[in-house]
Amino acid sequence: MQQARETPVQPTGRQWPSPFTPTPAPPVLPPPQIVTQDELQRLQVLLHQRREAERLRKSILERLSAGAAIEAGHLTARIRQSSCRRITRSALEQFWGTEYVENLRQQIPESSQVHLEIENQSCIADL
């Protein structure tokens, strides 16, 4: 009488998978949630507020730089300066030449950016 053959064992002590073992099914993901009109409108408002805040910041900075006083109250502001070096293509070309910089640029992988654009469909429908 022959003994039953055992499944081969890897050196780690684990058994090799059987060729008859079905592969597990991929996980079922829930459908993505809908993007609501309220969310899109809120985003538009916040982006508009951000642009408005930047305009106001620049205006205040210009006036403070020109010596404007700050109205008395619980808030104050001051100008804080910092510096950094931006390595621009033109600056690199001055040191190493256009050909070397272009060769270097070709070796650097591209990076992708994702932008969200919100369009007002009612304007298109009015045409």
Side-chain angles (χ1 to χ4, degrees):
M1 188 168 163
Q2 285 187 342
Q3 290 184 350
R5 257 181 141 179
E6 290 186 27
T7 305
V9 177
Q10 294 178 354
T12 59
R14 293 180 289 173
Q15 292 186 346
W16 292 97
S18 165
F20 303 108
T21 304
T23 57
V28 177
L29 300 175
Q33 292 182 342
I34 191 167
V35 176
T36 67
Q37 288 295 308
D38 287 340
E39 290 173 312
L40 293 174
Q41 288 173 353
R42 179 72 180 137
L43 179 58
Q44 274 189 321
V45 167
L46 292 172
L47 292 172
H48 178 73
Q49 288 175 350
R50 185 173 71 185
R51 286 189 294 270
E52 187 178 323
E54 184 57 23
R55 283 192 296 271
L56 182 57
R57 185 193 70 80
K58 286 180 181 179
S59 171
I60 291 170
L61 184 58
E62 288 173 1
R63 288 181 280 152
L64 288 176
S65 295
I70 297 175
E71 180 182 40
H74 67 281
L75 297 176
T76 189
R78 63 185 172 90
I79 296 174
R80 181 177 50 89
Q81 285 189 293
S82 62
S83 62
C84 66
R85 285 193 166 82
R86 293 192 63 212
I87 301 176
T88 63
R89 183 179 182 143
S90 61
L92 291 174
E93 287 175 353
Q94 288 176 1
F95 287 101
W96 288 298
T98 304
E99 186 177 323
Y100 176 81
V101 173
E102 180 59 27
N103 184 28
L104 181 63
R105 191 182 76 76
Q106 293 294 327
Q107 295 178 45
I108 298 172
E110 289 184 355
S111 59
S112 63
Q113 298 177 348
V114 177
H115 301 275
L116 175 63
E117 295 178 357
I118 301 173
E119 297 176 352
N120 188 344
Q121 295 295 319
S122 63
C123 293
I124 295 171
D126 292 340
L127 295 178

